[in-house]
């Protein structure tokens, strides 16, 4: 086996990656006794999707992760597909002799006996030692359906008003909601969505969370997050949508018309993301992480010893803007710990043809910019740039669209639909724009206007493509402030 150095080409330096081999969805995220747990879909013997296990890592700051042995491995009930974990505070399951403990609720995937028809059933495992080791429940599976083929990815939470557990589960083209008193016996509550939102692909990995609107704890909404799988007919591949509405412990009611589609991310590489259980933030925001890849090309990205990373962890909140109530994402504050040297500019004019950032280099960095677009028609940055490569990030005032263009960002011949540009309608209140950008060895994440819209993309630039350009087209812009922080590696390689 080759040694894991974390210096391999394209290896992210501040994003979570498996030490080696394949990873997809984040699973079972839960916070317990001062530790954040992150499990993940893992094929420990290959760098492409295969027999699924739950890999595991633990962190006390969401940034530095201690890799743990595999938590759940396939057994007589099948592979271990996606799912969640909760703290069973009152020992409702009876697994913990009256104390609190961790229960994982996940999909066992195999085939019906003597057939190749897929079978997906929900099962439990529990841990008596703060997630270090796991025992399969001997009553598995606890929930199944003979009719529905795609029946997976249980996300469970405690619903205080009715003193019951609630499970949201992907069931083909819709979500099923179940309730339980003990995590073992589940009753059908309702279903949602066969006619709502996007059905460009099969529904997967739902999550249902309650969030205050504009931080007002007295006015909350429920957000249903639903990932939709790849479909060769659509160039976007797999992506994630959400609905806002109400929830009474049994059913979710969509606030928007069925035709409304709200995307969680406008890039290509934020999939199957869900939130951490048992986080008690005072403002009731939620913590989210997504798989930073896309089923369209996930098995072909140009890394050798491992494949895929997670997004940076993000805080989710709801804000009402001119378009309605929208999900906001911002990077967790813990990332600020990685900031090292900074380059700062204040109140500078940006004029066509002059690159103020020539001479500045960066391969892993955070860039924060507040700009008055003034007379410009387009303003933006070229990052991870060389004579032959660039990732372009910008805003066009005429179309009102924010974009990331990775057409020429580096290695991209592994899939015909990887090189592309995508855009999103973004507000520029009073002609101003605020950007926060995170760049790593193989990704870019852009948060526009405090996370009102987000673009998350993988890129594979040459390690030597480290130049930057700040450009303007059609007139001048005024950069009110610009800070570029080089970031420390979480692997302790750079600058320590
Ligand atoms: C989403 C998904 C889930 C499934 C898992 C299998 O990416 O397809 O629906 O549980 O991956 O690895």
């Amino acid at each position: 086996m080759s040694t894991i150095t974390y210096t391999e080409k394209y290896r992210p330096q501040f994003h979570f990656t498996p030490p080696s081999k394949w990873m997809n969805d984040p699973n079972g995220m839960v916070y317990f006794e001062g530790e954040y747990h992150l499990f993940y879909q893992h094929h420990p013997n290959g760098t492409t999707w295969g027999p699924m296990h739950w890999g595991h890592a633990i962190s006390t700051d969401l940034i530095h992760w201690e890799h743990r042995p595999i938590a759940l491995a396939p057994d007589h009930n099948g592979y271990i597909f996606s799912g969640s974990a909760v703290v069973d505070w009152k020992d409702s399951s009876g697994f913990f002799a009256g104390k609190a403990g961790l229960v994982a609720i996940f999909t066992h995937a195999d085939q019906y006996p003597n057939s190749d028809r897929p079978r997906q059933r929900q099962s439990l495992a529990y841990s008596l030692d703060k997630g270090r080791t796991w025992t399969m429940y001997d009553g598995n599976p606890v929930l199944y359906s003979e009719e529905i083929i795609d029946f997976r990815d249980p996300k469970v939470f405690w619903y205080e008003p009715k003193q019951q557990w609630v499970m949201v589960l992907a069931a083909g083209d819709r979500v099923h909601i179940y309730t339980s008193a003990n995590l073992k016996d589940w009753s059908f509550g309702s279903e949602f969505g066969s006619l709502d939102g996007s059905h460009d692909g099969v529904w997967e990995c739902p999550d249902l969370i309650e969030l205050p609107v504009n931080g007002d704890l007295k006015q909350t909404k429920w957000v249903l997050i639903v990932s939709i799988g790849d479909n060769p007919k659509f160039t976007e591949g797999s992506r994630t949508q959400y609905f806002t509405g109400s929830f009474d412990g049994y059913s979710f009611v969509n606030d928007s018309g069925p035709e409304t589609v709200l995307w969680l991310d406008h890039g290509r590489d934020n999939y199957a993301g869900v939130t951490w259980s048992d986080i008690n933030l005072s403002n009731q925001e939620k913590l989210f992480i997504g798989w930073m890849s896309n089923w369209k090309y996930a098995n072909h990205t140009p890394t050798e010893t491992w494949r895929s990373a997670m997004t940076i962890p993000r805080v989710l909140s709801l804000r009402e803007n001119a378009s309605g109530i929208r999900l906001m994402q911002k990077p967790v504050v813990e990332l600020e710990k990685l900031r090292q040297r900074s380059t700062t500019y204040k109140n500078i004019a940006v004029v066509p043809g002059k690159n103020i950032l020539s001479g500045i280099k960066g391969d892993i960095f955070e860039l924060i910019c507040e700009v008055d677009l003034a007379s410009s028609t387009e303003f933006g940055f070229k990052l991870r740039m060389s004579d032959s490569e660039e990732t372009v990030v910008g805003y066009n005032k005429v179309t009102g669209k924010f974009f990331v263009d990775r057409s020429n960002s580096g290695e991209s011949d592994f899939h015909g639909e990887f090189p592309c540009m995508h855009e999103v309608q973004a507000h520029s209140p009073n002609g101003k724009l605020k950007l926060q950008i995170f760049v790593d060895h193989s990704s870019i994440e852009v948060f526009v206007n405090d996370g009102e819209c987000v673009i998350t993309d993988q890129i594979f630039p040459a390690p030597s493509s480290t130049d930057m350009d700040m450009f303007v087209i059609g007139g001048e812009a005024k950069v009110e402030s610009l800070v570029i922080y080089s970031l420390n590696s979480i692997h302790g390689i750079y600058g320590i």
Side-chain angles (χ1 to χ4, degrees):
M1 211 183 118
S2 56
T3 329
I4 301 156
T5 61
Y6 296 103
T7 57
E8 303 91 346
K9 191 175 183 193
Y10 301 133
R11 175 73 90 167
Q13 296 301 314
F14 61 95
H15 289 81
F16 180 83
T17 50
S20 61
K21 309 299 179 191
W22 168 267
M23 174 178 83
N24 57 292
D25 313 357
N27 293 151
M29 293 106 80
V30 63
Y31 181 73
F32 186 48
E33 301 204 352
E35 295 173 330
Y36 296 94
H37 293 266
L38 172 61
F39 302 86
Y40 52 92
Q41 289 287 279
H42 185 39
H43 179 197
N45 303 312
T47 49
T48 51
W49 191 85
M52 283 291 108
H53 299 55
W54 273 26
H56 185 202
I58 297 178
S59 172
T60 52
D61 66 359
L62 290 165
I63 309 299
H64 300 89
W65 294 93
E66 177 197 336
H67 293 285
R68 304 287 314 168
I70 283 170
L72 299 176
D75 64 359
H76 63 282
N77 282 315
Y79 300 156
I80 316 294
F81 274 17
S82 287
S84 49
V86 293
V87 182
D88 185 7
W89 289 107
K90 298 178 190 161
D91 192 23
S92 68
S93 59
F95 291 142
F96 306 109
K99 300 205 183 72
L102 294 178
V103 181
I105 309 97
F106 60 90
T107 301
H108 255 130
D110 65 352
Q111 273 114 32
Y112 282 90
N114 308 316
S115 131
D116 55 8
R117 184 167 181 253
R119 179 165 70 170
Q120 300 183 346
R121 304 181 292 175
Q122 319 322 314
S123 287
L124 308 178
Y126 56 94
S127 171
L128 302 172
D129 57 1
K130 300 203 297 173
R132 269 57 183 179
T133 60
W134 291 82
T135 308
M136 287 286 182
Y137 170 47
D138 56 15
N140 283 343
V142 295
L143 176 66
Y144 46 89
S145 153
E146 300 268 313
E147 296 84 49
I148 307 169
I149 294 181
D150 293 301
F151 195 63
R152 58 176 180 266
D153 309 338
K155 181 75 163 68
V156 173
F157 63 94
W158 177 252
Y159 185 71
E160 187 66 22
K162 294 262 180 333
Q163 295 288 300
Q164 66 191 16
W165 297 102
V166 173
M167 177 197 292
V168 279
L169 187 72
D173 62 352
R174 64 199 70 185
V175 153
H176 279 192
I177 296 174
Y178 297 87
T179 60
S180 174
N182 58 9
L183 294 166
K184 295 170 175 166
D185 305 301
W186 291 93
S187 317
F188 180 74
S190 69
E191 60 172 52
F192 168 80
S194 60
L195 300 172
D196 292 64
S198 171
H199 287 274
D200 288 354
V202 64
W203 282 25
E204 300 183 315
C205 299
D207 194 2
L208 183 57
I209 51 175
E210 187 180 21
L211 286 171
V213 180
N214 299 331
D216 177 358
L217 299 182
K218 291 195 281 311
Q219 197 211 338
T220 65
K221 284 277 173 202
W222 286 80
V223 179
L224 178 64
I225 298 174
V226 179
S227 283
I228 56 172
D230 179 35
N231 175 341
K233 279 199 284 191
F234 301 101
T235 177
E236 291 86 354
S238 51
R239 45 193 174 153
T240 303
Q241 63 179 330
Y242 69 93
F243 304 89
T244 60
S246 55
F247 179 65
D248 63 0
Y250 302 96
S251 353
F252 174 79
V253 179
N254 189 1
D255 273 350
S256 308
E259 69 293 342
T260 302
V261 180
L262 302 172
W263 298 113
L264 184 123
D265 199 299
H266 298 270
R268 293 281 195 270
D269 295 304
N270 182 357
Y271 192 64
V274 289
T275 59
W276 255 273
S277 298
D278 295 278
I279 296 284
N280 273 324
L281 297 174
S282 56
N283 42 14
Q284 290 182 20
E285 292 166 326
K286 297 283 186 294
L287 272 181
F288 169 98
I289 200 166
W291 174 43
M292 198 157 53
S293 196
N294 189 313
W295 281 118
K296 201 169 269 306
Y297 44 71
N299 280 291
H300 309 286
T301 53
T303 60
E304 272 174 21
T305 55
W306 90 100
R307 205 172 249 132
S308 293
M310 297 300 178
T311 66
I312 51 172
R314 302 165 182 196
V315 174
L316 299 185
S317 60
L318 281 180
R319 192 193 289 172
E320 186 155 21
N321 66 20
S323 319
I325 295 176
R326 293 291 178 267
L327 199 57
M328 311 279 297
Q329 297 178 57
K330 58 175 197 232
V332 294
V333 291
E334 286 86 348
L335 281 159
E336 291 175 12
K337 288 204 307 198
L338 296 177
R339 289 175 181 169
Q340 312 185 74
R341 278 168 290 111
S342 62
T343 309
T344 306
Y345 302 85
K346 283 233 175 311
N347 297 320
I348 45 167
V350 191
V351 298
K354 185 162 172 249
N355 176 18
I356 292 164
L357 301 183
S358 73
I360 308 282
K361 306 242 176 230
D363 66 341
I364 56 169
F365 60 93
E366 176 189 354
L367 182 158
I368 304 174
C369 176
E370 289 187 52
V371 58
D372 183 338
L373 299 160
S375 62
S376 66
T377 53
E378 192 169 303
F379 166 85
F381 296 91
K382 294 177 182 170
L383 303 170
R384 296 306 309 259
M385 186 176 87
S386 66
D387 290 346
S388 55
E389 293 177 354
E390 60 190 25
T391 299
V392 192
V393 176
Y395 183 72
N396 186 308
K397 214 169 69 175
V398 184
T399 59
K401 286 188 173 155
F402 186 82
F403 64 89
V404 169
D405 187 351
R406 67 174 180 190
S407 313
N408 197 20
S409 56
E411 201 168 340
S412 64
D413 55 1
F414 53 90
H415 195 281
E417 279 165 299
F418 184 85
C420 61
M421 147 151 157
H422 22 263
E423 40 187 31
V424 48
Q425 205 71 39
H427 302 281
S428 54
N430 306 320
K432 294 188 181 184
L433 195 70
K434 197 171 167 189
L435 302 177
Q436 187 173 11
I437 305 176
F438 288 85
V439 172
D440 203 340
H441 282 170
S442 45
S443 62
I444 177 161
E445 290 157 285
V446 187
F447 298 80
V448 186
N449 294 338
D450 298 312
E452 207 166 65
C453 36
V454 182
I455 293 188
T456 305
D457 275 328
Q458 291 184 89
I459 50 172
F460 298 97
S464 55
S465 298
T466 55
D467 290 341
M468 305 185 191
D469 183 9
M470 178 161 63
F471 68 90
V472 72
I473 298 176
E476 291 190 12
K478 192 173 143 212
V479 167
E480 295 178 344
S481 76
L482 170 66
V483 190
I484 304 168
Y485 296 97
S486 56
L487 297 180
N488 255 326
S489 166
I490 59 172
H491 310 302
I493 296 162
Y494 291 89
I496 295 180

